[in-house]
Structure formats: C-alpha cells, structure tokens
Amino acid sequence: MKKLVYPAEFIKQDDGSYLVFFVDIPQCMTEGKDLPNALYMAEDCLKTWAQAMVDDGFLLPEATSGENAKPTNGGFISLVTTELKDAKPVIKSVSLPHWMAEEAAKAHLSLSGVLQEALTQKLSVR
C-alpha cells in the first residue's frame, strides 16, 4: 500500500459545515456537516480521486509540505492522509481438482474472478 499525505484547506461556513479544498489538487474538493465529518470526507475524497488517477495511469502531483501550505480562502490547513492499494495484477499458481476445473470451464467462470471474490469476502475488504 502507498501512503499519501496532502494538505487541504478547511473553511468553516456560517451553518457550521466545512468546505475542503486540496492545495495541490484543484479538482479535488468536498464538504462536511461538521469538522469530524469534513475530515472523514476529505480522506474519502482524496482516496477516491487518487485511486482513479493511478488506475487510469496518471501520475499524482507532488504534495506541498505541511509547513509550506498556506490557507488562501480564510480557512486553516490540515494534512489529509490515505492509503492506496496496489491494484496491479499478480500471477499466482493455484491447484484444484481436475473435475472442478472442468466444471468451472463449463460454467464459463473466470478462476481469477472467483478467487478475487472469495478473498474479498474472506478478508472483509473491498
């Protein structure tokens, strides 16, 4: 897994909610009903955006260091962290009974897909 840390500006609104803008990622923004929710939403926003960028083959922008990030809209800067999963395929050799391989082929099942589904469920990950 790759850990990401990006500074974001949190701007409190009159209703107590917060707008969140990432210093180095202008197209990545979110909001939260209060500060804890805004922090949660910022982490989710960063993770979703960064994973999509990586999955599509784009490089992530370099993050400004926390001490160099300055608020520009009257808010405050906080560092937002998340982790990306490495989604590159890995070839693994597995063994199964011949009859099972034949049945899977008849059912047009992808053994890789079935294994991924089973591991996702077994490990309680998504």
Side-chain angles (χ1 to χ4, degrees):
M1 288 200 197
K2 180 178 182 175
K3 184 140 186 148
L4 301 178
V5 180
Y6 280 88
E9 183 172 4
F10 289 72
I11 305 165
K12 189 170 185 176
Q13 303 299 292
D14 292 337
D15 64 357
S17 66
Y18 285 82
L19 298 178
V20 183
F21 299 92
F22 285 86
V23 173
D24 304 298
I25 315 166
Q27 63 274 38
C28 192
M29 61 191 84
T30 189
E31 62 183 331
K33 63 182 178 180
D34 54 26
L35 187 54
N37 182 247
L39 286 165
Y40 171 81
M41 295 300 290
E43 290 173 18
D44 185 62
C45 180
L46 177 60
K47 183 176 191 167
T48 302
W49 175 84
Q51 192 68 61
M53 292 290 287
V54 169
D55 290 349
D56 289 344
F58 293 101
L59 294 176
L60 299 178
E62 188 171 330
T64 300
S65 66
E67 55 272 0
N68 291 333
K70 306 290 183 226
T72 58
N73 296 304
F76 65 90
I77 298 293
S78 180
L79 295 177
V80 178
T81 64
T82 192
E83 290 187 9
L84 295 184
K85 294 178 181 174
D86 184 358
K88 288 183 231 156
V90 177
I91 297 173
K92 293 289 181 184
S93 178
V94 298
S95 298
L96 63 152
H98 182 74
W99 67 267
M100 194 178 287
E102 286 182 342
E103 291 298 318
K106 285 181 199 172
H108 303 288
L109 292 176
S110 161
L111 296 182
S112 292
V114 171
L115 179 58
Q116 287 179 46
E117 287 175 25
L119 287 172
T120 299
Q121 183 178 12
K122 189 77 169 174
L123 298 172
S124 300
V125 295
R126 58 179 183 119

